[in-house]
């Protein structure tokens, strides 16, 4: 039949990529109100320049040349990879596994780029200044680009601070920093993200964007810009959403960890982000009767059915 036809099968490159998660918190009202207001202004319903709006990286940013607004953080990562990485180029990812120590041995003069993700999804790790400095030193030494996925930049818990690797010496000129309105304001359905970096790199991302998605929704950009302006003026104050969201989630994180511990599991307490990894092996549940699959997949299915 038609569905079984080989020509109707998906490309291999998308296998296993059909899952994601989302927050259950409502966005701040001033952001959604700004969207309603923006939609009512006629000029806001036309094409925008695709390269507008930004935030401070401890240096003045040219909003027309050093920022690209894209369709979500994914759009930023896609534009970056398409613009700057050739098929066969060597690149490394940091964020999982043991500390960055192992990174040193993988770097060579052939390494085109490193992708880091801090705060990390799904481990919740927030890279320290020393860890970032070690990566920065390697990037400078080997003339390597750095793509820094920082969509959870505001979601760090007490005792941890987010540091932008682009602010370290020698890193601005080789770093693309990726941000997300969905993660910043809990509006994942708006699909608005951005890439910040030097003009000589960002112009290539702009070329990709212009020839794929072209531009992003103008009213959404206006609403997010209003939200960013409001919260940047309140930085460090309790009513700043950037800090109040993390404070609210910290209580939920601790409650969830306590519940999991009580049930006999071993949660890994995240330093940032809104995911928590849990070791279920202490429960010693025998799942050998289930079809052969990774133990964690089987455990989740078992828990949904039996508990």
């Amino acid at each position: 039949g038609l569905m079984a036809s080989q020509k109707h099968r998906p490309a291999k490159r998308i296998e296993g990529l059909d899952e994601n998660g989302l927050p259950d918190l409502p966005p701040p009202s001033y952001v959604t109100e700004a969207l309603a207001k923006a939609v009512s202004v006629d000029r806001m319903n036309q094409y925008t320049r695709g390269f507008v709006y930004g935030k401070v990286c401890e240096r003045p940013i040219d909003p027309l040349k050093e920022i690209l607004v894209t369709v979500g953080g994914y759009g930023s990562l896609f534009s970056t990879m398409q613009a700057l990485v050739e098929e066969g180029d060597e690149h490394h990812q940091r964020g999982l596994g043991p500390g960055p120590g192992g990174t040193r041995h993988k770097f060579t003069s052939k390494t085109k780029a490193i992708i880091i993700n801090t705060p990390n999804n799904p481990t919740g790790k927030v890279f320290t200044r020393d860890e970032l400095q070690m990566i920065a030193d390697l990037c400078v030494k080997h003339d390597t680009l750095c793509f820094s996925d920082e969509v959870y930049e505001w979601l760090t818990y007490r005792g941890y601070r987010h540091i932008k690797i682009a602010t370290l010496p020698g890193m601005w000129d080789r770093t693309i920093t990726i941000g997300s309105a969905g993660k910043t304001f809990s509006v994942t359905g708006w699909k608005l993200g951005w890439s910040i970096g030097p003009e000589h790199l960002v112009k290539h991302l702009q070329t990709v964007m212009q020839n794929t998605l072209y531009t992003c929704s103008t009213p959404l950009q206006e609403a997010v810009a209003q939200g960013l302006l409001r919260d940047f003026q309140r930085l460090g104050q309790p009513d700043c959403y950037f800090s109040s969201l993390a404070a609210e989630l910290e209580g939920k994180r601790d409650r969830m960890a306590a519940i999991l511990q009580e049930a006999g599991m071993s949660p890994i307490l995240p330093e940032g982000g809104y995911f928590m990894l849990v070791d279920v092996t202490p429960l010693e549940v025998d799942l050998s009767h289930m079809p052969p699959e990774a133990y964690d997949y089987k455990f989740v299915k078992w828990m949904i059915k039996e508990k």
Side-chain angles (χ1 to χ4, degrees), residues 236-257:
Q237 295 171 30
D239 63 341
C240 174
Y241 190 70
F242 299 157
S243 46
S244 66
L245 176 61
E248 183 183 346
L249 282 175
E250 189 165 332
K252 295 186 174 191
R253 174 199 72 168
D254 295 344
R255 184 164 163 259
M256 173 71 93

Side-chain angles (χ1 to χ4, degrees), residues 35 58 163:
L35 175 59
E58 293 183 16
I163 295 160

Side-chain angles (χ1 to χ4, degrees), residues 280-292:
V280 299
T281 50
L283 296 180
E284 296 181 338
V285 180
D286 180 10
L287 303 176
S288 56
H289 62 284
M290 292 176 73

